[in-house]
C-alpha cells in the first residue's frame, strides 16, 4: 500500500493567481497521476507524471495551465496557473504501485480549491 | 479511447437488503483490470474490489461481489446485507495503463 499526503487540503484563491499542490508518498512509486473532480462528479485525469520524463497531459489540459513537477519517486507538484472561477474543483493526487495493471491506485485526500 | 459508463446516478437500498450497481465499459484491449472504488464524504477513495479481465471467476470480498461479463463489457457490483456505512459515491474504474473512472453512483442506505 501507499500513504499519500497532499497539501494544502483546501484553499481559497483570487482569480489570476496560481496555486501549487504538493503530493508526498511514503514509498517510491513509478507512476503518479493528477485528477480533477468537480463536486459530486467523477474523476477526470489531468496528466500522468513519471519520474525522469515530461508529464503526459490528457485532452483539454495543457502544460501552461497545469505545470507538473516530478523531481523524484516520492514527490510531485501540480500548479494551477492564472486561476479563474472555473478552476474551482477538487484536485487529487494518485499513485500506482508499479507498471502492473493489477495494482490498485492509491489516492490523497484531495485539495479543495475555490477561486473567487 | 477507453470509456466507463455508470448509468445510475443515484441508487437507494434498505438496510440489510441487496443492491446492484451497474457499469459498462468500452475498450479494444484484451488485457486490463476493473475496479470499484467507494468515496464517502471524507473524499478518501477506498478500493472495494478488483477484477482481472483474464479471470472468468467473479471476484468477491465479504459482502461485495461482482458480475463480470467480458463479452458484454459489463462489470456490476453487488452489495449484500447493506449497512449504513455503505452509503457513499461508488465509482467503477478501468485500468490498462492509467485509470479511467465512470461518472459515479450515489448510494443511499435507508435504516
Amino acid at each position: 500500500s501507499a500513504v499519500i499526503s497532499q497539501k494544502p487540503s483546501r484553499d481559497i484563491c483570487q482569480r489570476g493567481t496560481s496555486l501549487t499542490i504538493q503530493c508526498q508518498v511514503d514509498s517510491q512509486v513509478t507512476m503518479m497521476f493528477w485528477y480533477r473532480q468537480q463536486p459530486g462528479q467523477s474523476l477526470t485525469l489531468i496528466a500522468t507524471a513519471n519520474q525522469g520524463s515530461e508529464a503526459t497531459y490528457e485532452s483539454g489540459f495543457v502544460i501552461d495551465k497545469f505545470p507538473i513537477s516530478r523531481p523524484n519517486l516520492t514527490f510531485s507538484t501540480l500548479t494551477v496557473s492564472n486561476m479563474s472561477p472555473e478552476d474551482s474543483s477538487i484536485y487529487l493526487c494518485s499513485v500506482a504501485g508499479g507498471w502492473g495493471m493489477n495494482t490498485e491506485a492509491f489516492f490523497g485526500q484531495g485539495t479543495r480549491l475555490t477561486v473567487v | 479511447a477507453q470509456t466507463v459508463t455508470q448509468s445510475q446516478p443515484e441508487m437507494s437500498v434498505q438496510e440489510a437488503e441487496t443492491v446492484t450497481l451497474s457499469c459498462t465499459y468500452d475498450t479494444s484491449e484484451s488485457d486490463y483490470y476493473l475496479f470499484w472504488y467507494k468515496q464517502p464524504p471524507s473524499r478518501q477513495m477506498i478500493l472495494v474490489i478488483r477484477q482481472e479481465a483474464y479471470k472468468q471467476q467473479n471476484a468477491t470480498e465479504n459482502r461485495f461481489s461482482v458480475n463480470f461479463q467480458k463479452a458484454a463489457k459489463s462489470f456490476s457490483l453487488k452489495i449484500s446485507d447493506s449497512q449504513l456505512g455503505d452509503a457513499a459515491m461508488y465509482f467503477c474504474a478501468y485500468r490498462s495503463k492509467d485509470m479511467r473512472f465512470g461518472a459515479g453512483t450515489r448510494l443511499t442506505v435507508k435504516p
Side-chain angles (χ1 to χ4, degrees), chain A:
Chain A
S1 66
V3 177
I4 301 172
S5 174
Q6 193 173 330
K7 296 179 183 179
S9 59
R10 60 178 61 221
D11 207 341
I12 300 173
C13 300
Q14 296 291 323
R15 66 179 68 198
T17 63
S18 298
L19 176 71
T20 295
I21 302 168
Q22 298 181 1
C23 178
Q24 179 74 53
V25 189
D26 69 342
S27 57
Q28 294 185 340
V29 293
T30 305
M31 302 178 74
M32 296 182 79
F33 308 93
W34 287 97
Y35 289 88
R36 183 170 72 182
Q37 185 180 25
Q38 303 284 1
Q41 297 189 24
S42 186
L43 286 74
T44 300
L45 183 64
I46 297 172
T48 300
N50 296 328
Q51 196 270 335
S53 62
E54 294 289 325
T56 303
Y57 289 82
E58 296 299 308
S59 177
F61 298 96
V62 295
I63 188 171
D64 289 346
K65 176 67 175 178
F66 298 101
I68 288 172
S69 77
R70 183 77 201 274
N72 56 53
L73 290 173
T74 64
F75 187 77
S76 178
T77 66
L78 169 75
T79 299
V80 186
S81 302
N82 188 25
M83 289 183 285
S84 67
E86 291 71 34
D87 295 320
S88 297
S89 189
I90 297 168
Y91 292 85
L92 292 129
C93 169
S94 173
V95 304
W99 292 105
M101 293 178 286
N102 64 328
T103 53
E104 68 180 275
F106 299 93
F107 292 84
Q109 289 205 296
T111 296
R112 182 183 292 275
L113 170 63
T114 302
V115 183
V116 298

Side-chain angles (χ1 to χ4, degrees), chain B residues 4 35 46 64-65 76 83 106:
Chain B
V4 181
F35 302 83
I46 302 167
F64 299 88
S65 61
S76 62
Q83 300 175 0
R106 182 175 300 281

Side-chain angles (χ1 to χ4, degrees), chain B residues 54-79:
Chain B
Y54 64 85
K55 287 188 177 179
Q56 290 187 334
Q57 185 175 4
N58 290 324
T60 62
E61 287 286 343
N62 300 314
R63 298 183 293 109
F64 299 88
S65 61
V66 300
N67 183 3
F68 174 49
Q69 302 291 327
K70 189 172 184 178
K73 296 179 182 175
S74 171
F75 181 60
S76 62
L77 173 69
K78 185 171 80 170
I79 306 174

Side-chain angles (χ1 to χ4, degrees), chain B residues 8-28:
Chain B
Q8 305 155 315
E10 296 183 353
M11 290 287 284
S12 179
V13 63
Q14 204 71 33
E15 193 176 6
E17 297 293 309
T18 296
V19 65
T20 298
L21 308 184
S22 301
C23 174
T24 59
Y25 58 95
D26 185 27
T27 183
S28 58

